Amino acid sequence: MTSLLWIHTLKPNELGIRKGVGLGGGKSFRIPQSPEVMNLFPELSVDNNFTQRISLSLIENGQVKKKFENLELSDARKNNPDRVEHKIYLSNMSEYIGLEGSDKIFQPNVTLGFYKNTNDEICFEIIPKGTILENLKFSNTDKLIKVLNTNQTKSNTAKLSKLDTCLPKPFLLLAGISGTGKTRFVKKQAECSGDLNETYCLTSVRPDWHEPSDLLGYVSRLSGQAEYVVTDVLKFIVKAWIEIEKFGITLNGNSTTGDQVQQQQVRPFWLCLDEMNLAPVEQYFADYLSVIETREWAWENNEFVYKCEPLLKSSLFDDVKQNTLKKALGLTDHEPLWQHFLKNGISIPFNLIVAGTVNMDETTHGFSRKVIDRALTFDFGEFFPNNFDEFFEPKNEPKVLNYPVWSDGRNKAVFADTFDSGGALSIALLESINTVLNNTPFKLAYRALNELLLSVMTNKPSTEIELQAVWDDFLMCKVLPRIEGDIDKLTKGGEDKNIIEQLEALLSEQLNKVWQGKIRPDLYRKSLDNDMAIDIECRSKAKLKWMSAQLDNGFTSFWP
């Protein structure tokens, strides 16, 4: 019997392999900070100088194939007091480490599963590609699974739920021409979370929507008694809260508290607002746009507190028929949650992701900067292009997205694992962009800085190229969508070059590692051949060139 299995996919740098170079130094990999995973390994302390020798048994077909002994297990606090994870050094495994495609046991992209057997020995198995694991849950970088016995790791019938990338924000605008697959993208994301009947809600926005009640419901007195008329969207929001309650997470006032293991079991719920801008978004979506900025995450010792102001205040339910409302919301068998809503109202659940599909044509409304500032805007054709040559046999696929678990970009402990260890490089980037945008309505403020830092925290770039890839996508999602106008609006008095031209000149320097050629990794897609990132050209460079060409015709904007 096993209590917990840790799944880890080996990376080239962990095996001391550098692209085009071969084997080198630095053969080690870190054990994530989750206490459940770290408890698989011996506890290290100051008394033994943060190091200990351990053995690992390679299991194949239930038998020990090879036992690796005298491996060094090190505590990262030895070099950095703020780091608490462990590290396993593979120097004694060198003869078994090889390049991808070799016959060695340890290769890049090989997935290992670690667990303790009945004798409390640390064992690991090689997980074949395509194996489907039951109840698999992911953190930001490694994959965690609680199992009842080792036979579950050999199941080929359970559904694999991959959550590759945490979003920095749970509100997406998917913009592009009609027919590119925006709505289908959201549905496929929800499929990765589980049953579509539970984790996906498609709502078609109507042109006559002009107030939040069209989305969240309203009080009706037509029957002579006050009744709250619920919508599919409100029911779906409540369903997301039921998912949170299911794993024992505590709701108290406007605070939601639990531990990391509980949070990792909570699936994302995807609300798709189809043709979102057929109606004025600032009107029917006003409540959500305000409340989304009240979300707060706080972490300490692998325990979290999530806070959010209510979308629907508790006072709305005081005078309505409560039994009817309780039944309509699907809360008949969830009395504690119902009582919580009556007392505190209904706020945005942390596992809710809202994705609006957007077509910018003569039938739709434009977006104000108030909306753009609160969303991640994806030019869908740039991030997820339609390649006709791959229609029957696609060579890549979108990464699976998860809800954010941070709201404050000032968490320096998280930055310790990134190339921008203190956030200073990202701050300098935004300051330089603001030198171009000063004295214009497009200037960036604290919210933009916070979301840039959150993007770095969620993507964890380990090299300068990876960091500039994060910046590139931030420009595409948060900066360039704000800019629109004619040549007069985009040219500041006394300057020869317009804003587009100035940004091109600035970013060619700030993104110098990725500005030319297919250099940067795609953070939102992966190859189907090797499950690794795809190298692409700088997105913001291409978009600025396109916007500049549009400006030659008299007017430009971000929208395709």
Side-chain angles (χ1 to χ4, degrees):
M1 298 289 289
T2 66
S3 59
L4 183 135
L5 175 68
W6 169 43
I7 303 297
H8 178 70
T9 300
L10 295 170
K11 305 175 184 66
N13 63 300
E14 294 175 332
L15 298 173
I17 297 173
R18 291 167 292 176
K19 192 173 182 180
V21 177
L23 293 173
K27 291 185 278 289
S28 66
F29 58 86
R30 289 178 180 142
I31 301 167
Q33 296 183 18
S34 168
E36 290 74 25
V37 173
M38 293 179 69
N39 285 341
L40 286 172
F41 302 90
E43 182 178 356
L44 303 178
S45 65
V46 178
D47 296 337
N48 60 22
N49 197 29
F50 298 113
T51 61
Q52 187 170 327
R53 298 289 174 170
I54 63 170
S55 64
L56 297 177
S57 297
L58 171 61
I59 307 297
E60 189 174 281
N61 298 322
Q63 302 295 322
V64 177
K65 181 179 180 180
K66 175 70 180 176
K67 192 163 188 174
F68 299 94
E69 300 190 85
N70 204 32
L71 299 177
E72 182 178 314
L73 180 69
S74 173
D75 191 313
R77 287 175 296 172
K78 180 169 58 176
N79 300 315
N80 187 341
D82 295 328
R83 298 283 290 277
V84 295
E85 78 267 26
H86 295 165
K87 181 184 289 188
I88 297 179
Y89 287 88
L90 307 179
S91 53
N92 286 358
M93 296 182 176
S94 294
E95 62 183 293
Y96 300 97
I97 296 174
L99 296 170
E100 192 166 13
S102 69
D103 59 354
K104 304 294 185 180
I105 295 173
F106 305 101
Q107 306 173 49
N109 303 310
V110 166
T111 299
L112 306 177
F114 294 83
Y115 58 90
K116 282 187 177 180
N117 64 11
T118 53
N119 296 322
D120 207 35
E121 298 169 326
I122 306 172
C123 302
F124 71 96
E125 298 183 23
I126 297 174
I127 309 298
K129 287 188 176 181
T131 298
I132 298 176
L133 307 174
E134 291 181 348
N135 305 320
L136 195 59
K137 300 296 173 188
F138 291 74
S139 64
N140 291 329
T141 56
D142 292 282
K143 306 145 197 181
L144 308 176
I145 176 173
K146 280 192 171 182
V147 296
L148 297 176
N149 58 66
T150 55
N151 289 332
Q152 284 181 286
T153 66
K154 300 172 184 176
S155 170
N156 289 306
T157 57
K159 185 173 181 62
L160 176 64
S161 175
K162 278 194 172 182
L163 303 178
D164 294 320
T165 302
C166 280
L167 291 163
K169 200 153 193 178
F171 177 29
L172 316 180
L173 296 178
L174 306 179
I177 62 175
S178 180
T180 52
K182 299 183 292 295
T183 305
R184 182 175 181 272
F185 170 83
V186 181
K187 184 177 180 180
K188 287 295 182 180
Q189 289 289 329
E191 279 184 359
C192 296
S193 303
D195 187 350
L196 279 178
N197 293 326
E198 296 179 358
T199 60
Y200 177 64
C201 178
L202 174 64
T203 297
S204 299
V205 174
R206 293 169 51 97
D208 60 350
W209 284 8
H210 291 287
E211 57 178 333
S213 61
D214 294 315
L215 202 64
L216 298 174
Y218 57 92
V219 177
S220 171
R221 291 180 171 81
L222 292 177
S223 65
Q225 287 184 302
E227 296 184 13
Y228 198 88
V229 179
V230 303
T231 62
D232 289 341
V233 170
L234 183 58
K235 292 178 184 177
F236 187 70
I237 291 172
V238 169
K239 192 182 293 186
W241 275 115
I242 292 174
E243 170 81 2
I244 292 171
E245 178 199 41
K246 180 169 67 176
F247 295 102
I249 294 173
T250 303
L251 279 65
N252 183 18
N254 70 340
S255 297
T256 305
T257 59
D259 60 41
Q260 188 177 43
V261 172
Q262 290 173 312
Q263 174 265 312
Q264 288 169 346
Q265 296 179 80
V266 176
R267 299 170 296 174
F269 277 53
W270 286 83
L271 170 61
C272 180
L273 299 179
D274 201 25
E275 303 287 358
M276 187 178 190
N277 57 333
L278 280 180
V281 177
E282 295 86 347
Q283 295 179 20
Y284 75 86
F285 215 46
D287 288 0
Y288 179 90
L289 293 174
S290 296
V291 173
I292 191 175
E293 293 305 307
T294 69
R295 297 164 45 259
E296 294 181 18
W297 280 88
W299 286 89
E300 186 174 355
N301 298 325
N302 294 300
E303 294 185 346
F304 73 89
V305 177
Y306 168 79
K307 296 181 180 180
C308 183
E309 294 299 316
L311 278 170
L312 294 179
K313 292 182 170 58
S314 60
S315 58
L316 285 175
F317 306 138
D318 289 344
D319 299 324
V320 301
K321 296 171 65 175
Q322 294 187 357
N323 286 336
T324 303
L325 177 59
K326 179 180 179 181
K327 183 177 180 181
L329 292 176
L331 292 170
T332 303
D333 298 324
H334 300 276
E335 184 64 26
L337 187 58
W338 168 246
Q339 292 298 326
H340 172 80
F341 290 153
L342 288 180
K343 184 177 180 180
N344 303 287
I346 302 176
S347 60
I348 299 174
F350 65 72
N351 59 331
L352 178 70
I353 303 174
V354 178
T357 66
V358 176
N359 293 315
M360 298 299 289
D361 56 37
E362 67 280 356
T363 69
T364 59
H365 295 266
F367 287 103
S368 69
R369 280 183 289 278
K370 173 185 177 181
V371 177
I372 294 170
D373 282 352
R374 288 163 169 77
L376 288 176
T377 302
F378 290 89
D379 183 342
F380 198 80
E382 293 293 329
F383 280 83
F384 308 100
N386 287 177
N387 189 333
F388 290 175
D389 293 335
E390 299 179 13
F391 183 76
F392 291 106
E393 297 180 0
K395 297 179 180 179
N396 56 70
E397 66 180 2
K399 291 185 178 180
V400 183
L401 306 177
N402 199 6
Y403 52 82
V405 294
W406 293 301
S407 60
D408 191 341
R410 292 170 293 187
N411 192 334
K412 289 189 175 182
V414 180
F415 273 101
D417 283 335
T418 74
F419 186 83
D420 191 5
S421 59
L425 298 176
S426 296
I427 292 173
L429 170 73
L430 222 58
E431 288 177 336
S432 67
I433 293 173
N434 262 349
T435 61
V436 175
L437 301 182
N438 271 336
N439 302 317
T440 75
F442 315 124
K443 185 176 179 180
L444 303 166
Y446 269 147
R447 181 185 293 146
L449 174 59
N450 186 64
E451 293 186 13
L452 173 57
L453 297 177
L454 288 174
S455 296
V456 176
M457 290 165 58
T458 54
N459 287 285
K460 290 184 169 57
S462 59
T463 66
E464 188 173 9
I465 287 179
E466 290 177 358
L467 177 62
Q468 290 189 10
V470 174
W471 290 352
D472 186 26
D473 286 349
F474 174 80
L475 289 163
M476 287 289 289
C477 291
K478 300 297 298 184
V479 180
L480 300 187
R482 299 166 54 84
I483 299 174
E484 53 80 26
D486 57 19
I487 191 66
D488 291 334
K489 186 176 181 180
L490 297 181
T491 304
K492 294 186 285 186
E495 296 183 353
D496 296 331
K497 292 184 177 181
N498 62 55
I499 290 173
I500 302 294
E501 293 171 329
Q502 292 181 53
L503 283 175
E504 283 184 295
L506 171 68
L507 295 177
S508 66
E509 298 176 0
Q510 296 289 340
L511 304 182
N512 62 316
K513 299 295 184 182
V514 301
W515 194 253
Q516 301 290 345
K518 291 186 176 181
I519 302 297
R520 56 146 294 186
D522 191 331
L523 304 178
Y524 289 95
R525 292 184 301 158
K526 62 186 177 184
S527 169
L528 287 173
D529 293 333
N530 52 24
D531 207 36
M532 295 185 70
I534 307 158
D535 289 335
I536 60 172
E537 294 183 350
C538 181
R539 289 188 172 118
S540 55
K541 177 185 177 182
K543 175 58 75 170
L544 284 167
K545 182 178 180 181
W546 181 86
M547 292 175 69
S548 183
Q550 294 293 106
L551 189 58
D552 291 340
N553 297 324
F555 184 89
T556 193
S557 74
F558 169 86
W559 307 101

